[in-house]
């Protein structure tokens, strides 16, 4: 059965998107990402060298653009101006690449998105021809606003970035998915494989994660677990779970039972 994820007109067989931060070194980064099966790899432009520092190791020598879709992100930006500047730098470094992940943070304690600056930056980037995947909170109204202005994917948080708290508000995610016509990808909060599976069972189009793998005691093994969790969760969603019941229901047919 063909079941592909389509973002900005390009199809992917994997619904796991993965970050490149916090690994021991680039070798471990490469090994974990290869094991995860992810095809979209996000890179924090302000923190990772993809060519802007010519005298330092370049991540793209390990995670090559001919194998992966590189998704530059604006992690660490706290204003719309900073985020837009980062995206333009990424486009310059990646020969006109226009698919970006927009992330504008509100404060250093929660890393919660600053929605006012996020909306402002998203509009400016879309108007400038960027294909914007946007990190946001789990507010259905904001999610719809970002979709309507032309963002190619909306990425609500499951919980705070790097917290590993899982999905704290599944109801709001369902409200967002009900109205969405672009992919809804859970971004932030996934701490372990069951969190990823739950997101997929709910019907999310994908999951983006980083810390859950990079901070695991064995990142490569956790990458393998995440790959399987995403696949299992998606299959559960497509298969459709059984209805929940208040009382027991015998598994075996009762007809013909001797009395």
């Amino acid at each position: 059965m063909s079941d592909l994820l389509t973002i900005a007109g390009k199809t992917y067989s994997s619904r796991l998107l993965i970050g490149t931060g916090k690994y021991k070194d680039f070798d471990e980064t490469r090994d974990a990402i290869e094991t995860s099966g992810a095809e979209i790899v996000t890179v924090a432009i302000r923190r990772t060298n993809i060519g802007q520092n010519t005298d330092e190791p370049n991540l793209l020598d390990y995670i090559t653009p001919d194998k992966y879709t590189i998704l530059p992100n604006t992690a660490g930006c706290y204003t719309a101006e900073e985020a837009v500047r980062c995206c333009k730098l990424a486009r310059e470094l990646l020969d006109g690449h226009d698919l970006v992940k927009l992330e504008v943070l509100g404060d250093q304690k929660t890393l919660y998105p600053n929605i006012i600056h996020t909306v402002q930056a998203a509009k400016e980037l879309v108007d400038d021809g960027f294909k914007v995947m946007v990190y946001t909170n789990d507010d259905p109204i904001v999610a719809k606003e970002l979709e309507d202005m032309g963002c190619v994917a909306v990425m609500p948080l499951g919980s705070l970035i790097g917290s590993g708290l899982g999905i704290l508000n599944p109801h709001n995610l369902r409200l967002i998915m009900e109205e969405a016509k672009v992919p809804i990808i859970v971004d932030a909060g996934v701490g372990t494989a069951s969190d990823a599976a739950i997101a997929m069972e709910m019907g999310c189009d994908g999951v983006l994660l980083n810390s859950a793998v990079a901070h695991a005691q064995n990142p490569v093994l956790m990458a393998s677990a995440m790959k399987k969790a995403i696949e299992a969760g998606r299959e559960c969603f497509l298969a459709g779970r059984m209805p929940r019941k208040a009382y027991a229901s015998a598994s075996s047919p009762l007809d013909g039972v001797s009395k």
Side-chain angles (χ1 to χ4, degrees):
M1 179 177 66
S2 176
D3 178 43
L4 302 175
L5 170 64
T6 301
I7 298 176
K10 185 172 180 179
T11 57
Y12 302 90
S13 58
S14 173
R15 292 174 179 272
L16 174 57
L17 294 74
I18 198 162
T20 54
K22 303 178 181 177
Y23 289 95
K24 179 179 63 180
D25 52 37
F26 282 163
D27 288 325
E28 185 178 74
T29 308
R30 177 198 57 217
D31 293 345
I33 290 172
E34 282 185 358
T35 302
S36 76
E39 297 164 286
I40 300 176
V41 178
T42 187
V43 178
I45 295 301
R46 301 186 71 175
R47 299 169 179 158
T48 306
N49 182 35
I50 59 169
Q52 62 269 47
N53 302 315
T54 55
D55 56 345
E56 297 178 6
N58 186 335
L59 175 67
L60 299 186
D61 291 335
Y62 296 79
I63 310 297
T64 60
D66 59 341
K67 183 174 181 180
Y68 299 98
T69 293
I70 303 298
L71 180 63
N73 74 63
T74 61
C77 292
Y78 287 82
T79 67
E81 292 76 12
E82 289 177 318
V84 169
R85 190 161 56 246
C86 259
C87 290
K88 290 182 176 179
L89 173 61
R91 183 164 62 183
E92 184 177 326
L93 291 170
L94 296 171
D95 299 325
H97 180 88
D98 56 8
L99 182 68
V100 294
K101 178 194 163 190
L102 173 63
E103 178 179 310
V104 186
L105 303 176
D107 64 38
Q108 295 187 8
K109 180 179 180 180
T110 66
L111 300 181
Y112 212 69
N114 182 319
I115 295 303
I116 293 172
H117 281 260
T118 297
V119 170
Q120 179 184 335
K123 185 174 189 316
E124 186 171 339
L125 289 168
V126 169
D127 289 346
D128 195 21
F130 284 94
K131 298 167 184 170
V132 180
M133 301 173 66
V134 56
Y135 168 67
T136 182
N137 58 21
D138 55 10
D139 183 332
I141 305 303
V142 172
K144 192 62 182 170
E145 185 77 17
L146 291 165
E147 176 186 328
D148 288 345
M149 74 170 54
C151 292
V152 299
V154 175
M155 310 175 76
L157 53 78
S159 50
L160 299 182
I161 291 173
S163 68
L165 291 172
I167 296 172
L168 298 183
N169 196 339
H171 180 66
N172 272 26
L173 286 184
R174 290 191 179 95
L175 292 176
I176 290 171
M177 288 187 285
E178 277 182 13
E179 301 299 324
K181 294 181 176 60
V182 298
I184 301 299
I185 296 170
V186 168
D187 181 6
V190 168
T192 189
S194 58
D195 297 333
I198 288 171
M200 299 307 297
E201 288 180 23
M202 290 173 55
C204 294
D205 295 285
V207 171
L208 190 153
L209 57 86
N210 186 166
S211 299
V213 170
H215 281 179
Q217 293 181 26
N218 186 331
V220 176
L221 188 57
M222 183 60 81
S224 174
M226 289 296 181
K227 175 184 179 182
K228 294 165 185 168
I230 294 287
E231 293 172 349
R234 181 63 180 177
E235 288 185 359
C236 284
F237 170 72
L238 294 175
R241 84 178 314 281
M242 63 167 284
R244 290 182 171 85
K245 298 176 182 176
Y247 298 100
S249 176
S251 299
S252 302
L254 297 178
D255 295 341
V257 174
S258 60
K259 297 180 180 178

